[in-house]
Amino acid sequence: MGIYRQQRQALMELDKPLFCIAHRGGSQRYENTLRAIQHALDLGVDAIEIDVWNVRGELLVFHDRRLAFAPFQDALLVQQDPQLLRHTPLPCGEPIPTLLEVMELVGDRALLNIELKGPGCVKSVSNQIEEFVQYQQGNYESYLISSFDHVQLHKLSQRLPEVKRGALFAGIPLDYAACCEQLDAYSLHACIGFLRQGLIDDASARGLKTWVYTVNHEEDMGHLAAMGVDGVFTDFPEKVLALNEEFRQRHPKVEGSDF
């Protein structure tokens, strides 16, 4: 093995296993669909991340605020008839799922990270989780709700404190992870493009998990593990799982992290 190849291999090795979160269900082509989520579950991921909008009272799983496919012509998602959306296939051929369908599929096989994308989600999402736990023998520990909208997260902490919360950041706050304490957050979700050791260390000192999005390259995974990051959102969960397995083979006595 040449020197460059040895150096690259070293960069790809993990200092510890990373919590593996399938970003938008874990498939770029089939993102936020039941097909993507089923594939990620079959791989054995630790968590599934999805995006949820309140569309006229219906909780739909979709990422963008506009619909960039026929027949909608860049129309705003929240202004559409939810039943029309449900019966119009995505470009990949899959339907837009509801939050309930995703919850039924995931069950307790992985943590479900529900990201609130638009306004007015707290009451509907809280009700959906409460009903599912009550009538389908679910468990509040199976869910984590995240958002860039920290106002909604604060409301959620008051309405449904049993469910973990993750504070999403697209930059580096002046006071690092301080606002997470006001939210009584479980985790800080940081952008890989805006990440500093100080932010990771501050989150850890406050008892928070640090999860980073969106991490698709093995070298980044190795670098983040060395920085002390706990988990990564990825479009390629098989890469994270493979590196985790390599770590466990090198360190067979090290127990996996408890999340």
Side-chain angles (χ1 to χ4, degrees):
M1 181 182 294
I3 294 177
Y4 173 76
R5 190 174 177 186
Q6 288 177 329
Q7 292 173 335
R8 177 175 171 80
Q9 181 64 33
L11 287 171
M12 292 167 57
E13 291 182 352
L14 302 185
D15 288 354
K16 65 176 184 178
L18 287 169
F19 194 64
C20 181
I21 310 155
H23 178 240
R24 303 185 194 176
S27 172
Q28 291 179 309
R29 181 179 178 187
Y30 298 102
E31 67 174 45
N32 279 315
T33 66
L34 298 181
R35 179 172 179 174
I37 293 166
Q38 182 62 64
H39 178 65
L41 291 171
D42 291 342
L43 288 174
V45 299
D46 298 304
I48 302 285
E49 184 262 352
I50 58 169
D51 304 290
V52 169
W53 294 82
N54 184 351
V55 183
R56 299 186 180 184
E58 186 78 66
L59 294 172
L60 299 184
V61 179
F62 193 76
H63 182 267
D64 298 334
R65 63 191 293 269
R66 291 188 180 272
L67 299 151
F69 59 94
F72 302 104
Q73 305 301 325
D74 288 333
L76 287 168
L77 173 73
V78 295
Q79 294 180 353
Q80 307 310 304
D81 178 352
Q83 294 308 310
L84 175 60
L85 291 170
R86 294 273 291 133
H87 291 92
T88 303
L90 296 164
C92 66
E94 297 292 309
I96 295 176
T98 64
L99 174 58
L100 178 58
E101 288 175 328
V102 172
M103 293 171 68
E104 290 174 337
L105 176 60
V106 175
D108 60 0
R109 290 187 286 172
L111 177 72
L112 180 60
N113 179 176
I114 303 166
E115 181 182 340
L116 308 183
K117 295 297 290 188
C121 288
V122 172
K123 182 178 179 180
S124 296
V125 171
S126 297
N127 288 344
Q128 183 71 88
I129 293 175
E130 287 176 318
E131 290 175 8
F132 191 84
V133 169
Q134 181 177 356
Y135 296 111
Q136 301 202 34
Q137 297 183 331
N139 190 320
Y140 289 121
E141 288 298 312
S142 298
Y143 306 104
L144 180 145
I145 298 178
S146 64
S147 186
F148 289 101
D149 185 344
H150 295 180
V151 174
Q152 287 201 81
L153 286 184
H154 185 261
K155 291 179 179 178
L156 187 76
S157 71
Q158 299 173 319
R159 184 180 180 90
L160 195 64
E162 299 90 343
V163 173
K164 295 184 287 289
R165 289 164 299 285
L168 270 159
F169 293 88
I172 303 175
L174 186 62
D175 55 359
Y176 282 164
C179 76
C180 293
E181 293 191 349
Q182 292 178 281
L183 301 171
D184 193 18
Y186 171 83
S187 53
L188 181 151
H189 302 181
C191 174
I192 190 172
F194 293 91
L195 194 63
R196 299 291 184 274
Q197 189 66 56
L199 178 62
I200 298 169
D201 294 344
D202 186 58
S204 179
R206 297 176 190 274
L208 299 162
K209 301 295 183 184
T210 302
W211 296 347
V212 178
Y213 67 93
T214 303
V215 185
N216 290 333
H217 298 279
E218 291 95 333
E219 289 182 19
D220 287 333
M221 295 167 192
H223 179 62
L224 293 172
M227 292 179 72
V229 165
D230 299 297
V232 293
F233 298 86
T234 180
D235 297 320
F236 303 102
E238 62 275 10
K239 294 183 180 181
V240 180
L241 295 172
L243 291 177
N244 282 346
E245 181 57 30
E246 289 175 9
F247 173 87
R248 294 186 178 100
Q249 289 177 3
R250 296 196 311 273
H251 307 279
K253 295 184 179 181
V254 176
E255 296 293 331
S257 298
D258 180 13
F259 289 91

